[in-house]
Amino acid sequence: MFYLHFFASSLPVILIFDGLFGRDGEKLDAGTETDANLNHELYYHFLGTDQSEDILGWRDPEYPKHTHSASVTEDGKYVLLYINENCDPVNKVYYCDLSLLPKGLEGYKGTNELLPFVKLVDKFDASYHYVANDEAIFTFLTNQDAPRNKLVRVDINEPTSWAVVLQEDNKDVLESASAVNVNHLVVSYLSDVKNVLQIRDLRTGDLLHHLPLDIGTVSEISSRRKDRMIFVGFTSFLVPGIIYMCNLEGEIPDMRIFREIVVPGFDRTEFEVSQAFVPSKDSTKIPMFIVARKGLHLDGSHPCLLYGYGGFNISIPPYFTASRILLAKHLDVVFCVANIRGGGEYGTEWHKAGGLARKQNCFDDFISAAEYLISAGYTQPSKLCIEGGSNGGLLVGACINQRPDLFGCALAHVGVMDMLRFHKFTIGHAWTSDYGCSDKEEEFKWLIKYSPLHNVRRPWDKPSDKVIQYPSTMLLTADHDDRVVPLHSLKLLATMQHTLCTSLKRSPQSNLIIGRIEQKAGHGAGMPTQKIIDEAADRYAFMAKMVGASWID
């Protein structure tokens, strides 16, 4: 089993039994450190043994900011090492032939020798991810000269000769490919933010079958190359979860439900999902999902929740959340997901169109989605709440600065709010591939224009026929967030409090601006169920109060 480890940079931290000591000797609560994460290391762990016996597989002190991950080929013969420079979708690939180790992995116990990895791809010019191999013949999914991805094949003994197995699609993004049934592939495409499944020939890439699938998201594909059976996890806004079992033994794939999650009291037929394509400021069409009760009257009277992310090549396809269904069922809320630029919904070009010097496109897209919901009669500004987390928290923070008049409420989770200093803390240096870095003059000029912390203004100072203030806002963070450290939200909260309220004798800002700081929690992943419930209850109760939503039995 391979796993990863970070060592803190600037100053070594001393691990003791009940805590950590910082630079000046003060005791720190483990997980609250803000030093940069550097010197990533890869280890191999033998199950049932003490961690002290683990094998150091790879480290590279010459490049302390690089991160590493590893996988083992299905035949168990090769270890593949993936090396990333930052968050850009590009990586190097090295391999280690375990069959050539004279004493196997056991022979590396008690030594400081690294595993003898061989360089296959040694440039950061594209992403490569393992699909299958026949001895030394490997198939990879890559974006090399293919923004929407393709499949390629190489003999690792002749690493300069690569052949295309499956060409890039003209429109859809090839998200994954898995070997099954000896010489077949199950491939998943993202088509206008909805997954499509196909069975193809592993050797030629030829299409063999389309697998029937409702509009939604393939959450997981579980298969082994030797097996004729595959399991497909599926979800959507109105489907909590289905596991399909697909038998490839016959001429036509036999796909049926194996397991299905049922939520008591939830009837999906009461709701409907639509998709709009909203023109942004530069006329780019932005897809947006809209989930609402059937028969909704478009009279502008409905509370509305608009969610967005828009970064790091991450797509936001349809997925089920009980809390948002509760909002739609009992608060008559219309909830929407805007698939803005910066994500991976249409491939690398869509991602790059929302990053670095073009980050403003993300905010323009989100604002355009909000304006559409108002003009189409779904809601009105006083009843519109926007929500986002992490990079999406940055999105919310920037949008309430730029258009405070457009929203009635804002929920910003663990947001990157200080765009001039984010790279100085924990893993923030890896995000410069999407944002840029303020240490560079040109990139500083991009960042200062939209950094939430540095653009808090008194909106009522602008000439207007009505007094404009910030929407009711909740900034959420956690005291042990070691990814986006809590100082981002705390500094923005303090800046808003000072600029909009305490620096004035009589402030027009009457809408609430509050912070919610979770204790003994981090960036969200792994949060206990009770904390998840408590946080959802707090933020959505706040939203309901601020937008005037009433409970419906």
Side-chain angles (χ1 to χ4, degrees):
M1 176 173 71
F2 281 93
Y3 68 95
L4 307 167
H5 182 68
F6 272 115
F7 284 113
S9 61
S10 324
L11 183 85
V13 289
I14 304 171
L15 184 62
I16 60 174
F17 288 108
D18 59 349
L20 293 166
F21 286 102
R23 183 172 283 104
D24 298 320
E26 80 277 15
K27 188 174 178 180
L28 300 176
D29 190 8
T32 63
E33 311 88 0
T34 60
D35 285 345
N37 297 149
L38 301 174
N39 299 312
H40 211 187
E41 296 181 343
L42 176 74
Y43 284 80
Y44 186 87
H45 176 73
F46 292 90
L47 294 178
T49 66
D50 191 82
Q51 187 175 352
S52 62
E53 299 179 38
D54 293 353
I55 293 169
L56 175 60
W58 185 259
R59 66 180 170 193
D60 192 351
E62 186 177 353
Y63 299 100
K65 292 184 178 181
H66 286 182
T67 57
H68 316 105
S69 61
S71 65
V72 180
T73 56
E74 191 168 330
D75 59 11
K77 185 177 180 180
Y78 297 94
V79 177
L80 296 178
L81 172 66
Y82 301 99
I83 302 173
N84 290 87
E85 189 176 27
N86 44 46
C87 289
D88 234 11
V90 298
N91 60 274
K92 296 181 179 181
V93 181
Y94 299 171
Y95 68 90
C96 174
D97 187 341
L98 298 177
S99 68
L100 298 180
L101 305 182
K103 297 180 181 179
L105 288 168
E106 293 275 358
Y108 284 80
K109 282 188 174 181
T111 74
N112 288 321
E113 290 184 61
L114 303 180
L115 293 180
F117 283 100
V118 179
K119 297 176 181 180
L120 178 62
V121 177
D122 198 33
K123 294 190 297 184
F124 290 118
D125 62 354
S127 69
Y128 296 87
H129 294 282
Y130 168 80
V131 174
N133 71 293
D134 291 296
E135 295 295 337
I137 310 298
F138 277 70
T139 302
F140 288 95
L141 188 152
T142 181
N143 62 4
Q144 175 67 51
D145 299 322
R148 290 173 296 281
N149 301 332
K150 63 185 178 183
L151 296 183
V152 295
R153 184 165 296 141
V154 64
D155 183 339
I156 60 175
N157 296 317
E158 299 178 12
T160 59
S161 180
W162 295 71
V164 176
V165 179
L166 178 59
Q167 292 283 1
E168 174 189 27
D169 190 81
N170 293 328
K171 179 175 178 288
D172 299 340
V173 180
L174 177 60
E175 286 200 317
S176 70
S178 305
V180 66
N181 197 22
V182 184
N183 285 315
H184 287 166
L185 287 170
V186 54
V187 299
S188 177
Y189 282 96
L190 193 64
S191 178
D192 283 332
V193 207
K194 303 174 286 288
N195 278 128
V196 175
L197 283 183
Q198 300 173 352
I199 302 296
R200 288 182 174 267
D201 189 294
L202 173 59
R203 295 160 298 186
T204 65
D206 291 343
L207 176 64
L208 302 177
H209 304 284
H210 289 280
L211 296 183
L213 204 64
D214 289 334
I215 293 175
T217 302
V218 173
S219 56
E220 185 176 0
I221 298 173
S222 178
S223 66
R224 290 184 298 186
R225 187 169 177 182
K226 67 180 182 180
D227 292 338
R228 296 176 177 177
M229 192 74 70
I230 61 175
F231 294 87
V232 178
F234 177 84
T235 185
S236 73
F237 292 116
L238 302 180
V239 177
I242 294 175
I243 298 176
Y244 290 102
M245 179 174 62
C246 183
N247 192 335
L248 301 177
E249 187 172 3
E251 290 186 10
I252 299 176
D254 179 18
M255 193 162 174
R256 59 186 64 188
I257 292 176
F258 178 66
R259 294 286 189 274
E260 182 172 8
I261 297 172
V262 176
V263 177
F266 169 59
D267 181 0
R268 73 184 66 162
T269 64
E270 295 177 2
F271 305 90
E272 60 186 1
V273 180
S274 60
Q275 188 179 34
F277 291 85
V278 179
S280 188
K281 185 177 181 179
D282 63 0
S283 299
T284 299
K285 294 294 180 67
I286 308 302
M288 176 169 61
F289 289 106
I290 302 171
V291 184
R293 279 186 174 275
K294 286 183 177 177
L296 191 78
H297 294 293
L298 300 181
D299 56 6
S301 65
H302 308 283
C304 184
L305 176 64
L306 174 61
Y307 179 87
Y309 185 78
F312 298 98
N313 201 43
I314 295 172
S315 303
I316 309 295
Y319 64 99
F320 185 88
T321 51
S323 56
R324 291 178 186 165
I325 286 296
L326 183 145
L327 297 181
K329 181 177 176 65
H330 293 293
L331 293 173
D332 198 31
V333 170
V334 178
F335 74 84
C336 312
V337 175
N339 299 108
I340 61 179
R341 283 173 284 186
E345 285 85 352
Y346 293 99
T348 303
E349 293 170 348
W350 190 257
H351 166 221
K352 290 182 176 179
L356 299 177
R358 296 191 281 177
K359 187 64 180 176
Q360 181 61 40
N361 284 338
C362 300
F363 316 133
D364 291 340
D365 293 353
F366 201 59
I367 288 169
S368 296
E371 291 174 331
Y372 171 84
L373 292 168
I374 295 166
S375 64
Y378 286 99
T379 191
Q380 55 186 277
S382 64
K383 290 184 172 293
L384 176 57
C385 177
I386 54 174
E387 182 177 22
S390 196
N391 175 74
L394 158 64
L395 172 70
V396 171
C399 286
I400 61 175
N401 279 340
Q402 295 182 16
R403 286 296 305 276
D405 60 304
L406 194 57
F407 317 110
C409 184
L411 305 172
H413 307 238
V414 294
V416 187
M417 303 303 191
D418 184 350
M419 299 308 297
L420 301 188
R421 290 175 56 80
F422 71 86
H423 60 288
K424 298 179 180 293
F425 309 109
T426 61
I427 196 60
H429 57 79
W431 312 334
T432 57
S433 56
D434 246 53
Y435 299 143
C437 180
S438 63
D439 292 342
K440 300 176 181 179
E441 182 178 358
E442 180 185 4
E443 296 174 10
F444 174 91
K445 292 177 181 178
W446 308 338
L447 295 163
I448 194 64
K449 290 179 181 178
Y450 69 81
S451 175
L453 179 65
H454 302 91
N455 286 278
V456 177
R457 303 285 186 267
R458 296 167 183 161
W460 51 82
D461 286 346
K462 292 182 178 180
S464 176
D465 57 356
K466 61 179 181 178
V467 175
I468 299 173
Q469 59 174 313
Y470 270 73
S472 301
T473 301
M474 177 184 282
L475 303 180
L476 299 94
T477 188
D479 61 356
H480 285 70
D481 190 339
D482 61 354
R483 182 173 298 187
V484 181
V485 292
L487 62 85
H488 284 276
S489 295
L490 301 180
K491 288 167 71 175
L492 179 59
L493 189 66
T495 300
M496 294 178 76
Q497 180 185 29
H498 173 75
T499 303
L500 304 176
C501 303
T502 58
S503 60
L504 300 173
K505 288 184 178 180
R506 297 184 66 181
S507 171
Q509 181 66 38
S510 58
N511 290 334
L512 289 176
I513 297 172
I514 64 175
R516 186 189 189 280
I517 306 168
E518 186 62 77
Q519 294 181 302
K520 297 182 179 180
H523 200 61
M527 188 183 289
T529 301
Q530 190 58 54
K531 284 185 180 291
I532 293 173
I533 294 170
D534 291 345
E535 184 191 274
D538 286 350
R539 72 178 188 267
Y540 290 139
F542 177 78
M543 180 201 79
K545 181 70 173 177
M546 296 304 104
V547 302
S550 300
W551 186 267
I552 304 169
D553 287 325

